[in-house]
Amino acid sequence: MSEQATKQVIEDRIYLGNVDYKATEEEVREFFKDLKVTEVDIPSKTFKLGKKTVDRHLGFAFVQFETKDDADKAIEKFNGEEFKGRNIYTKKAVPPPTEEEKQIKTEAYKAKKAEKKKKLAEKKAATNATKKKTEEKTTPEKESKDATEKVPEGTPSKDTIFITNLDYKVDVQTLSNLFKELKPKWIHVPTVRYPKRFQRGRAGGKPTHNKGIAFAKFSSEEAQKQAIAQFNGKDINGREIIIDIAINTK
C-alpha cells in the first residue's frame, strides 16, 4: 500500500521526482510558469569529497501551488514530461513524518537489518557444519591413502642409505668428503635442470641443482649402519640432513 493511500495528502502541494541534481528553484518555477507557484523546495545534503565540502540536491523537489486545482493540473499535465533531460514524475505531497513516525521507521529498519544478519549467520554456520562433516568423513580415507603412498614398497637395503633434507647446493663431492672414512662405493645425487630463463648468471654456469635427496652405497651393512648412526642429523650448509636405510624397490 502506498504512502499516499495511508497518509493524508497535501492537496495544493506536489512531489516532483527524478529531478536533475543541478536544477534550480528558478528553473522549476519556469517549468510550471502557466500555473501559480508560491514556493519551490529542493532538498539538499552536504557531502565530503576529500577536503572539499559539496552541497548537492537529492534528486527531488516539492512545489507549492496557490490552489488545489493548479496542483491537480500540474500532475495531469507534467507527469512523465522531460525536465532538464530527465522524465520527471509527479504526485501529491504528504506531510513530513513526525518524530514518532521517524522512530518507528528507524526501529523497523534496524529489525530488518538484524534479521538479515541473523539469517546470514545461520546460513554460514550450516555451511561450515556441512563442510566439517564432509571433512570428518573423507579425512581418514585420505590420510590412509597418503600413508600408503608415502611408504615405499620393497625390501630394506643392507648396504645403501637414503639421504633427505639436503641443501640444494650439495653435490657428490660434498657427500664424498662427509663419508670419506667409510669409503662409499658410489654416491648418487639426483638433479633437476633449471628452466632456461633462470640459467643465466648461475654460479659456475651450472644449469642444474639437486632435488634435496641423495643415495650412498657402502661395502657392508656395518658401514651402512655406522653412516646412519654417525651422520644422521648432521648440519650441512645450515640444514640437518636425515639419513635412513634405502628401500630396494626392484
Side-chain angles (χ1 to χ4, degrees):
M1 186 177 290
S2 68
E3 187 178 16
Q4 284 186 313
T6 59
K7 196 169 185 178
Q8 186 177 2
V9 299
I10 303 174
E11 295 292 352
D12 55 359
R13 186 178 179 87
I14 69 170
Y15 170 86
L16 199 63
N18 199 35
V19 177
D20 182 84
Y21 292 114
K22 295 182 180 180
T24 64
E25 179 181 334
E26 290 73 20
E27 289 172 331
V28 174
R29 285 181 178 274
E30 178 64 22
F31 187 67
F32 294 108
K33 63 182 179 180
D34 295 333
L35 302 171
K36 296 178 181 179
V37 176
T38 60
E39 180 189 357
V40 174
D41 179 20
I42 306 179
S44 62
K45 186 176 181 179
T46 300
F47 296 89
K48 282 283 187 180
L49 294 177
K51 295 182 179 180
K52 294 183 179 180
T53 300
V54 180
D55 192 53
R56 196 181 76 169
H57 298 161
L58 299 179
F60 61 90
F62 295 97
V63 183
Q64 180 71 46
F65 293 92
E66 190 173 289
T67 64
K68 173 183 178 300
D69 186 52
D70 278 348
D72 291 339
K73 288 179 181 179
I75 293 174
E76 181 180 354
K77 182 178 180 180
F78 295 103
N79 187 44
E81 291 296 311
E82 185 176 309
F83 173 58
K84 291 184 68 63
R86 290 189 172 196
N87 295 106
I88 61 170
Y89 61 92
T90 59
K91 64 180 181 180
K92 287 293 180 71
V94 296
T98 63
E99 289 302 318
E100 183 180 357
E101 289 172 335
K102 287 181 180 179
Q103 183 65 26
I104 292 173
K105 190 173 182 179
T106 300
E107 290 177 356
Y109 171 76
K110 288 182 178 179
K112 186 176 180 180
K113 188 175 181 180
E115 181 64 22
K116 184 178 180 180
K117 187 176 181 180
K118 180 182 177 182
K119 287 182 178 180
L120 287 174
E122 290 174 349
K123 184 178 180 181
K124 185 177 181 180
T127 301
N128 289 339
T130 302
K131 184 178 179 181
K132 185 177 180 181
K133 189 175 181 180
T134 303
E135 288 176 349
E136 289 175 350
K137 184 178 179 181
T138 58
T139 298
E141 296 177 2
K142 185 177 184 298
E143 289 179 348
S144 177
K145 182 179 178 181
D146 290 344
T148 302
E149 290 176 348
K150 290 178 181 178
V151 178
E153 295 182 359
T155 57
S157 172
K158 293 185 178 182
D159 56 12
T160 306
I161 61 173
F162 177 52
I163 310 164
T164 60
N165 199 38
L166 284 177
D167 176 74
Y168 293 116
K169 294 181 181 179
V170 171
D171 55 16
V172 172
Q173 187 60 51
T174 305
L175 295 179
S176 294
N177 293 336
L178 180 68
F179 300 123
K180 184 177 181 180
E181 295 180 0
L182 299 175
K183 299 179 180 180
K185 297 179 70 174
W186 55 256
I187 295 174
H188 175 53
V189 182
T191 58
V192 62
R193 181 174 292 276
Y194 286 111
K196 288 185 178 180
R197 64 181 182 277
F198 295 138
Q199 291 182 22
R200 184 180 300 174
R202 290 287 171 183
K206 295 181 179 180
T208 61
H209 66 79
N210 71 55
K211 293 183 177 181
I213 63 173
F215 297 88
K217 183 174 182 177
F218 298 91
S219 58
S220 66
E221 185 176 2
E222 182 182 352
Q224 176 201 47
K225 291 181 178 179
Q226 187 176 345
I228 295 173
Q230 186 174 345
F231 298 105
N232 185 39
K234 178 76 174 178
D235 185 296
I236 300 180
N237 294 347
R239 301 181 77 165
E240 293 184 0
I241 63 173
I242 300 171
I243 305 177
D244 203 349
I245 295 174
I247 301 297
N248 293 324
T249 57
K250 293 183 179 180

